[in-house]
Amino acid sequence: MQTGNDSVLNGVLVLDAATYIAAPMSASILAEFGADVIKVEHPRLGDPLRRFGTKGSDPNASMQWLNENRNKRSITIDLGKPEGRDLFIALAKKADVVVENFRPGTFERWGLSWETLHGLNTRLVMLRLSAFGQNGPLREQVGLARIAHAFSGVTSISGEADRPPANPGPTSLADYVAGVYGALGVLLALFERERSGIGQFVDLALYEPMLKTMDEAFAVFDRTGFIRQRFGSQVVTVAPTANYRCSDGGFVTVGIPDDKMFARLASAIGRPELAESNSEFVTNAMRVERRTEIEAIVSAWIGSRDRDTVVRLLKDADVPSSAIQDVAELARHPQVAARENFVKRPDGAGGTITMQAPVPKLSRTPGRVTTAGPALGEATEELLKGLLGFSDAELAHLHAKGII
């Protein structure tokens, strides 16, 4: 991808040798803010994400592939062959960042260990994102987002108390959260390199960012022995807070973090006395103690009104609340339009694809989406000629041997 001189990461060269979502997501974030990201794929198989999810205009490029690998250029190299290893090393010597997410030991088996790459390019930063990290008894165990949700404890507290644990949010939530942390780790290492001149590797386990989302659960367990359980849409430490059904079948979520917000809610539902000093619900501790009663009061009020009315009345009262929207509603919401949260780009096969816009928004050097995910190997010859000076004859030799 060609970047403008005003891009934050203009001039940063990234080799993305990862597959599926988490680590490639890290590379995509870097690409959105100006890094030149080269997607390294197997010559015949490519990244399996190409075939994962809903097919787009091109049956060989899923919608998820196009979305998660935007702004990248694809090069094909068989890393399992000695000549492929040599090609990757030649590129790594010129790179600022290498991203990989293979099972620990795989890159070492290919002769591409951190020690090897760092020895040839001391300024290199390497993101190593795996299921359980580079050390520990589970380091070689296979994993994906669903496993990270379960291992981190997040699944154990997701869903209703009387039903099996539910997968939290989208299937690949852990991948996206880890993708952000991976990009953060790379940026921190690049920032430190400006002072020391020396790169380092970032070791991230897929479950670790999900572990970070478990708020005070582990501190409370350590202090009191309390084990957080599934609580549905309610919150163990505050009340009333839940997802409520409206009379028309829609849902509204309400969050009441403190007594001031509760007083606003009490007024909005026509029960200001609930927040008065002599009320048995005046403090959060009292409301948590009598959770069933206060939740029933709020649920009855919301359940007797349609969703739009509930949303309007709570908004007018400045109560933290929102309609629970589906994809169709969100796609046409005026707030989303005002924030330009979606972009539409060509999909490379004659159609277009709508994608989420870069986050966060920078006032002077914003992120950009220039292209959807690339066709397999579309930039191989361009990159090998431009970066490594290969001749047509050398490229023909590599093609013949199945290296590229």
Side-chain angles (χ1 to χ4, degrees):
M1 184 193 72
Q2 300 302 312
T3 62
N5 292 330
D6 61 340
S7 298
V8 180
L9 298 176
N10 182 55
V12 174
L13 180 61
V14 179
L15 297 183
D16 172 10
T19 60
Y20 282 109
I21 301 172
M25 176 73 176
S26 299
S28 291
I29 292 171
L30 303 177
E32 288 170 0
F33 290 92
D36 184 2
V37 178
I38 299 173
K39 179 73 180 178
V40 181
E41 302 184 75
H42 190 278
R44 292 167 296 285
L45 304 176
D47 186 332
L49 190 66
R50 289 180 175 276
R51 299 172 293 281
F52 183 85
T54 305
K55 287 181 168 53
S57 303
D58 179 351
N60 297 312
S62 70
M63 305 274 264
Q64 196 155 11
W65 162 263
L66 294 170
N67 189 38
E68 311 311 345
N69 287 279
R70 59 232 196 141
N71 291 8
K72 299 179 183 179
R73 298 188 285 172
S74 173
I75 186 173
T76 54
I77 303 176
D78 188 340
L79 299 180
K81 295 182 178 179
E83 287 183 79
R85 168 193 177 274
D86 293 343
L87 273 182
F88 188 84
I89 285 177
L91 291 170
K93 287 180 180 179
K94 296 179 177 291
D96 296 284
V97 179
V98 166
V99 174
E100 68 98 359
N101 67 345
F102 291 91
R103 200 178 304 195
T106 302
F107 250 46
E108 285 75 9
R109 189 169 67 251
W110 289 338
L112 298 172
S113 68
W114 161 250
E115 291 75 18
T116 297
L117 297 179
H118 181 63
L120 297 168
N121 179 358
T122 58
R123 290 177 56 81
L124 186 69
V125 168
M126 188 174 186
L127 171 60
R128 312 200 73 177
L129 204 167
S130 60
F132 292 96
Q134 298 298 311
N135 68 307
L138 301 182
R139 68 183 293 267
E140 294 184 11
Q141 184 168 314
V142 68
L144 39 79
R146 194 177 193 89
I147 310 308
H149 300 158
F151 185 83
S152 67
V154 172
T155 301
S156 75
I157 63 171
S158 300
E160 299 294 334
D162 60 349
R163 303 195 66 181
N167 192 64
T171 303
S172 301
L173 180 63
D175 287 315
Y176 293 103
V177 180
V180 174
Y181 271 93
L184 173 63
V186 169
L187 293 174
L188 291 171
L190 289 173
F191 183 80
E192 193 281 333
R193 190 183 72 174
E194 291 302 303
R195 294 184 298 200
S196 67
I198 301 172
Q200 58 186 301
F201 73 88
V202 179
D203 178 7
L204 179 62
L206 186 62
Y207 76 88
E208 288 172 332
M210 298 308 294
L211 202 65
K212 289 276 285 184
T213 69
M214 290 283 285
D215 54 64
E216 64 174 19
F218 297 104
V220 171
F221 170 73
D222 185 57
R223 177 71 61 86
T224 70
F226 174 75
I227 301 173
R228 181 84 61 83
Q229 300 296 317
R230 292 186 296 289
F231 217 54
S233 66
Q234 297 182 17
V235 178
V236 69
T237 54
V238 295
T241 291
N243 301 333
Y244 304 93
R245 183 187 291 273
C246 303
S247 63
D248 59 356
F251 288 88
V252 169
T253 193
V254 178
I256 304 299
D258 56 40
D259 299 337
K260 181 170 68 173
M261 296 294 185
F262 178 69
R264 294 179 189 173
L265 175 65
S267 295
I269 68 175
R271 297 289 303 276
E273 74 278 4
L274 295 175
E276 292 176 356
S277 59
N278 61 347
S279 169
E280 56 197 1
F281 302 114
V282 67
T283 69
N284 182 63
M286 295 167 72
R287 294 191 297 276
V288 169
E289 184 69 22
R290 305 176 75 96
R291 179 190 301 277
T292 301
E293 297 171 56
I294 191 60
E295 290 289 4
I297 292 170
V298 176
S299 182
W301 183 83
I302 292 177
S304 65
R305 292 160 175 81
D306 64 79
R307 194 184 74 168
D308 289 348
T309 299
V310 173
V311 169
R312 175 176 55 80
L313 292 173
L314 295 182
K315 177 184 176 183
D316 290 345
D318 207 19
V319 173
S321 57
S322 174
I324 296 180
Q325 301 182 113
D326 60 25
V327 171
E329 291 175 301
L330 193 58
R332 58 176 178 259
H333 198 286
Q335 176 65 23
V336 169
R339 294 286 295 171
E340 299 180 327
N341 290 139
F342 295 104
V343 296
K344 185 171 287 190
R345 296 290 182 267
D347 65 4
T352 60
I353 180 171
T354 297
M355 298 178 280
Q356 298 92 327
V359 177
K361 295 184 181 296
L362 275 61
S363 63
R364 189 169 52 81
T365 55
R368 301 186 180 96
V369 178
T370 56
T371 62
L376 179 62
E378 67 177 18
T380 300
E381 295 192 4
E382 170 196 350
L383 289 167
L384 292 181
K385 286 181 177 180
L387 287 177
L388 302 182
F390 274 55
S391 67
D392 290 338
E394 289 172 315
L395 292 174
H397 167 76
L398 293 173
H399 276 299
K401 296 195 68 176
I403 305 299
I404 61 174

